[in-house]
Amino acid sequence: MMDKEFKTRMKRGFWKPEEDLILKNCVEIHGEGNWATISEKSGLMRSGKSCRLRWKNYLRPNIKRGMMSEDEKDLIIRLHKLLGNRWSLIAGRLPGRTDNEVKNFWNTHLSKRSCRGKKKHVKSKEANSRSPLGKESQEFPAETVSNKEVAANSVLDSWIEEMQDFNCSLLSPLSMNNVPFLEDEPFIPILDDIVLLDTFTSTGKEVWNEIQPFL
DNA sequence: AACGCTATCAACCGCTCTCGC
DNA sequence: AGCGAGAGCGGTTGATAGCGT
């Protein structure tokens, strides 16, 4: 265990490329998850927390960087409505995106916009050019998640599958083609998508009942 | 060119959760 | 069952890049 003096000597601030390299090597040697060991053995003078954060948000393989696509934006907005500020859960539905990135994106782009109440519809053109996100979401690498999260994700997965069977061309758990999404539509906590879903099937309420205990 | 303001995002902090003993 | 340590999560901060005046 780290003593107080060691803690105060810990380096902070931005990571240098050479530190990234050392961290990468250490993760390869000691494995993802042993952050205390990695912190100690790397000689980086970075806390385990700091190492974990850097790895998770920047160095991990398959990290997608750059602008969010319209699909991703749409999915974030809808999942945020359903799940609230469960960034890790939301990020789990966006292959290659991290919870920190999703959170930052929400805080800087989306929350502001929805507060301002700017009316902007998702263009049908954009909707038509959507990538098969639903399929991709089945393939994203498994992360270390809590049992609750695993359970919540499995409920969402089965929901996606069911809705795809329902012939709705669902590309995300909560978006349907031909249903224009209003960014400033009134915030009806969580249920609006499920109510919408409920118009077609009883699944909506079932999903909500299933997922609520995990939230 | 210089200054101030705003937006962005990497990183930190503090709390909660999980797991092993 | 209770405790402690480590991991994970969400909120917040701070550095800095970009833009307007």
Side-chain angles (χ1 to χ4, degrees):
Chain A
M1 212 222 145
M2 288 183 287
D3 59 21
K4 244 184 176 175
E5 198 198 337
F6 185 69
K7 260 186 177 174
T8 53
R9 287 200 338 254
M10 284 295 179
K11 202 172 164 187
R12 292 169 60 179
F14 286 87
W15 283 70
K16 294 185 186 123
E18 56 264 34
E19 289 181 299
D20 284 344
L21 206 64
I22 293 168
L23 178 59
K24 249 185 177 177
N25 290 336
C26 277
V27 171
E28 273 170 32
I29 295 163
H30 301 289
E32 202 177 333
N34 304 317
W35 301 113
T37 313
I38 288 166
S39 163
E40 208 182 321
K41 304 276 179 191
S42 66
L44 287 167
M45 297 306 292
R46 296 276 189 176
S47 67
K49 266 187 172 187
S50 184
C51 293
R52 180 191 149 268
L53 205 71
R54 184 63 180 172
W55 173 260
K56 208 182 147 199
N57 291 333
Y58 210 85
L59 300 174
R60 206 176 47 170
N62 307 321
I63 290 280
K64 201 198 277 181
R65 308 202 66 79
M67 289 291 287
M68 294 275 182
S69 67
E70 286 302 318
D71 288 339
E72 287 173 317
K73 285 181 200 172
D74 187 46
L75 189 55
I76 289 168
I77 292 164
R78 287 175 175 275
L79 282 173
H80 185 268
K81 273 193 173 182
L82 179 70
L83 303 168
N85 295 358
R86 307 290 165 130
W87 304 118
S88 58
L89 211 54
I90 294 170
R93 316 307 309 171
L94 291 155
R97 300 293 187 184
T98 67
D99 52 358
N100 209 32
E101 202 178 2
V102 171
K103 180 173 62 185
N104 279 332
F105 187 75
W106 176 266
N107 289 334
T108 56
H109 295 87
L110 304 176
S111 68
K112 222 175 296 169
R113 274 197 297 181
S114 50
C115 280
R116 274 187 213 141
K118 251 198 261 168
K119 203 148 208 159
K120 253 167 82 185
H121 294 245
V122 172
K123 290 169 194 159
S124 55
K125 213 179 175 184
E126 284 160 354
N128 289 339
S129 63
R130 282 176 175 172
S131 64
L133 204 67
K135 201 185 168 191
E136 276 172 27
S137 71
Q138 310 293 322
E139 296 167 359
F140 68 91
E143 287 190 55
T144 315
V145 288
S146 67
N147 292 337
K148 275 186 179 182
E149 211 167 305
V150 169
N153 269 321
S154 86
V155 172
L156 284 171
D157 278 335
S158 57
W159 187 16
I160 295 165
E161 271 174 37
E162 197 169 326
M163 286 318 295
Q164 280 168 343
D165 290 346
F166 195 70
N167 200 25
C168 283
S169 307
L170 260 195
L171 299 170
S172 74
L174 302 169
S175 67
M176 285 189 224
N177 282 350
N178 310 319
V179 181
F181 176 69
L182 307 179
E183 284 177 18
D184 63 338
E185 64 191 304
F187 182 81
I188 305 164
I190 296 162
L191 282 172
D192 58 349
D193 287 298
I194 300 199
V195 169
L196 179 67
L197 197 59
D198 205 37
T199 311
F200 302 95
T201 169
S202 61
T203 313
K205 273 185 186 125
E206 285 165 19
V207 169
W208 173 241
N209 288 337
E210 270 189 83
I211 205 165
Q212 198 178 25
F214 306 120
L215 304 178

